[in-house]
Amino acid sequence: MTSSAGSNARAHIGVTGLAVMGSNIARNFARHGHTVALHNRSIAKTDALLAAHGDEGDFVRTETIEEFVGALQKPRRVLIMVKAGDPTDAVIEELAAAMDEGDIIIDGGNALFTDTIRREKSLSERGLHFVGAGISGGEEGALNGPAIMPGGPKESYEVLGPLLESIAAQVDGTPCCTHIGPDGSGHFVKMVHNGIEYADMQLIGEAYHLLRDAVGYDAKQIADVFTGWNQGELESYLVEITAEVLNQVDAKTGKPLVDVILDAAEQKGTGRWTVKAALDLGVPVTGIAEAVFARALSGATDQRRAAVGLASGQLADKPADVEQFTKDIERALYASKVVAYAQGFDQIAAASTEYDWNLRPGDLATIWRGGCIIRARFLNRIKDAYDTNAQLPSLILDPFFQEAIENAIDSWRRVVAAAVQLGIPVPAFASSLAYYDGLRAERLPAALTQAQRDFFGAHTYERIDMPGKYHTLWSGDRSEIQAD
Ligand code: NBP
């Protein structure tokens, strides 16, 4: 049923921004029995949605913001699904001017979490509730059940939660939506989710590269390998779609589609944001960083073209035991993936402390199990890990993951060593292994770094045998003095 906004404010929720994501989420709400007020800057999108899907539920067509706001039951709930950045600020401003105290504005776009913190502060001063909600799952998830990560005030979630949970993906009867924490925490968590997605995709890419160039398989054979992996511990959306993509044949050339696509990966920015935020927090997210840089390198096409043919040095022969090497790649992929997730969860824990968000990592593992791009069997293991110990210092220290890495470690080393000897770049596999070795090292070379810093900058150091800070008089008699 469709109606135009009249005097009766009857819509349960309003969606403004009816491009791919907004229109699908609006349909998802309507299909779940909610009356949805529709608004888009250009009316054509609203009408196109109603023409194609107006019979899927109860929609209220509106043209102006005033009409849109007037169509909503109180407290009003409006979901903004417009392009992140300035358009979001413009829409918020228009809405805020037309809304009343206690109404709720939800930003479901990919906003930078610091923008969400700023917006929440400014709107709360005006008596409005602002919820920055990360939404993952792309077009398909938006329609059939995304993972939703709403931040903002807890009271807003009481009004909003049931509505969002009704349209979210469900796993074992649990919705993939929960209140994440205050202000920008929902968008922060969504950002790290995307960062992990970058790392996961890069690792899959490296596995593909090795299967192609070290093992010598063609796209179809590699698709079969991924299909097999998807039956085991690596079962996940991304591994599943990798097999589908590799099986796709280009209609024009008859070649595997992957072989005719330009090998320059683009990015919209959430991976980069994750790395920037990690640098500010001082958390090593090496897997995510390597993934962002690998995309940048792939995109440097002019430089790459100029560098083709540079010396490779003496390269080793391809692995003789193809079956064993394929098994090794599977294990290396799993272990590297554990590291990428461990680092992402570390970043979330650090932000939780920094911003006083009191986040619960187990909840995130729970809601990422369905709807979102990184959904995977693996997430159940992470959930179990945090259910057993909510204060886990690193995912790597959970007994299940410790054992998984123990089982994978020899394969992991063989794969990284072979890749180096074959001249195949595996930055995420290699950096994840280096991170793991760094983490488990009893003594790192950082003592030397500290001594150097003290030498040239009198930055002082601590000793392993006495408390306090010390400085060596490097340009004097080289005796040591206590510095505090
Ligand atoms: P887009 O990010 O392509 O944004 C298009 C929408 O923004 C249209 O409705 C457009 O209205 C509106 N808009 C723009 Br552009 N500037 C505006 C302004 N100044 N005032 C009002 N409206 C304005 O849409 P999308 O791909 O559906 O994504 C929506 C949000 O969801 C984004 O923040 C995106 O990052 C996030 N997201 C996307 C995905 C995905 O898979 N695509 C996944 C998860 C999250 P118009 O029709 O009048 O031009």
Side-chain angles (χ1 to χ4, degrees), residues 31 56 62 76 127 130 175 187 227 263 346 380 398 438 444 474:
R31 287 174 176 193
E56 288 181 7
T62 73
R76 302 185 181 99
F130 184 68
H187 276 138
T227 302
D263 60 344
D346 282 353
N380 281 313
D398 168 71
L444 289 168
W474 296 103

Side-chain angles (χ1 to χ4, degrees), residues 16-23 39-43 45 80-88 90-91 94 107-111 134-140 190 194 268 270 373:
T16 180
L18 300 173
V20 180
M21 291 295 285
S23 58
H39 178 267
N40 194 69
R41 178 178 60 175
S42 50
I43 296 153
K45 276 203 180 67
I80 303 176
M81 291 304 299
V82 304
K83 204 177 171 68
D86 292 344
T88 305
V91 173
E94 269 191 277
D107 175 17
N110 272 336
I135 300 182
S136 174
E139 183 178 353
E140 202 267 340
K190 168 62 170 37
N194 282 26
K268 277 194 166 172
T270 44
I373 305 294

Side-chain angles (χ1 to χ4, degrees), residues 13 77-80 104-108 129-133 160 164:
I13 185 148
R77 292 167 289 200
V78 169
L79 174 63
I80 303 176
I104 305 172
I105 298 177
I106 310 133
D107 175 17
H129 294 275
F130 184 68
V131 172
L160 199 59
L164 296 181

Side-chain angles (χ1 to χ4, degrees), residues 62-124:
T62 73
E63 293 190 3
T64 64
I65 282 282
E66 292 70 26
E67 210 185 334
F68 177 58
V69 168
L72 295 161
Q73 283 181 3
K74 287 192 176 179
R76 302 185 181 99
R77 292 167 289 200
V78 169
L79 174 63
I80 303 176
M81 291 304 299
V82 304
K83 204 177 171 68
D86 292 344
T88 305
D89 278 316
V91 173
I92 289 174
E93 205 37 58
E94 269 191 277
L95 282 169
M99 291 172 97
D100 295 322
E101 235 172 74
D103 288 347
I104 305 172
I105 298 177
I106 310 133
D107 175 17
N110 272 336
L112 181 61
F113 76 101
T114 44
D115 284 345
T116 304
I117 293 175
R118 165 179 61 77
R119 289 166 182 153
E120 206 263 338
K121 189 165 177 295
S122 136
L123 287 172
S124 71

Side-chain angles (χ1 to χ4, degrees), residues 143-481:
L143 182 62
N144 297 318
I148 311 179
M149 294 148 253
K154 192 141 187 63
E155 311 87 88
S156 322
Y157 194 77
E158 278 154 24
V159 182
L160 199 59
L163 206 73
L164 296 181
E165 289 178 16
S166 73
I167 64 152
Q170 313 280 323
V171 175
D172 303 335
T174 305
C176 295
C177 172
T178 192
H179 181 238
I180 301 293
D183 54 67
S185 59
H187 276 138
F188 186 90
V189 160
K190 168 62 170 37
M191 176 189 77
V192 176
H193 161 286
N194 282 26
I196 292 173
E197 179 184 312
Y198 271 60
D200 211 339
M201 290 171 71
Q202 173 64 22
L203 291 167
I204 288 173
E206 291 177 15
Y208 156 72
H209 198 168
L210 288 162
L211 289 166
R212 191 188 70 190
D213 291 357
V215 174
Y217 284 165
D218 63 21
K220 170 79 183 70
Q221 288 170 306
I222 303 173
D224 292 344
V225 170
F226 275 96
T227 302
W229 289 354
N230 202 39
Q231 314 302 312
E233 280 292 335
L234 281 170
E235 182 191 333
S236 60
Y237 171 72
L238 283 171
V239 168
E240 182 191 330
I241 66 162
T242 300
E244 281 198 42
V245 166
L246 291 167
N247 269 323
Q248 182 73 16
V249 174
D250 174 44
K252 187 169 167 227
T253 58
K255 291 181 180 168
L257 179 67
V258 71
D259 291 342
V260 297
I261 293 179
L262 185 73
D263 60 344
E266 294 179 3
Q267 45 189 320
K268 277 194 166 172
T270 44
R272 193 163 48 226
W273 286 351
T274 311
V275 178
K276 281 186 184 171
L279 290 173
D280 288 340
L281 291 164
V283 180
V285 290
T286 58
I288 301 170
E290 290 296 356
V292 172
F293 288 136
R295 287 198 196 187
L297 173 64
S298 78
T301 44
D302 289 348
Q303 264 185 333
R304 285 177 56 203
R305 243 193 313 275
V308 164
L310 289 185
S312 67
Q314 181 72 43
L315 298 179
D317 292 335
K318 290 182 177 171
D321 188 341
V322 162
E323 225 165 89
Q324 176 61 47
F325 194 65
T326 303
K327 190 88 211 142
D328 283 346
I329 299 172
E330 181 183 11
R331 291 186 181 138
L333 176 55
Y334 189 79
S336 304
K337 194 166 149 152
V338 173
V339 168
Y341 277 73
Q343 294 178 336
F345 276 91
D346 282 353
Q347 182 174 359
I348 287 168
S352 181
T353 305
E354 172 77 17
Y355 295 101
D356 216 5
W357 282 336
N358 207 11
L359 304 183
R360 301 163 307 277
D363 282 7
L364 307 182
T366 305
I367 63 169
W368 288 348
R369 290 181 308 161
C372 64
I373 305 294
I374 64 171
R375 63 184 180 262
R377 179 198 286 201
F378 187 77
L379 264 311
N380 281 313
R381 302 291 190 188
I382 300 181
K383 176 185 180 307
D384 293 347
Y386 285 113
D387 281 352
T388 310
N389 179 5
Q391 308 305 324
L392 202 57
S394 163
L395 208 50
I396 290 170
L397 295 170
D398 168 71
F400 174 85
F401 288 116
Q402 271 189 49
E403 197 186 323
I405 291 185
E406 210 175 302
N407 292 333
I409 186 75
D410 292 339
S411 294
W412 202 4
R413 292 195 192 289
R414 276 197 294 271
V415 167
V416 172
V420 170
Q421 289 184 325
L422 289 161
I424 297 172
V426 287
F429 275 180
S431 75
S432 304
L433 179 57
Y435 172 85
Y436 175 74
D437 280 333
L439 196 64
R440 62 173 200 84
E442 213 164 318
R443 212 159 147 70
L444 289 168
L448 177 59
T449 309
Q450 283 297 83
Q452 289 166 328
R453 294 178 68 247
D454 189 58
F455 188 102
F456 62 67
H459 292 303
T460 76
Y461 50 84
E462 290 176 274
R463 298 181 54 102
I464 57 173
D465 52 357
M466 295 189 289
K469 299 253 184 199
Y470 296 88
H471 170 57
T472 290
L473 301 170
W474 296 103
S475 45
D477 65 359
R478 301 216 165 178
S479 60
E480 185 180 73
I481 57 167

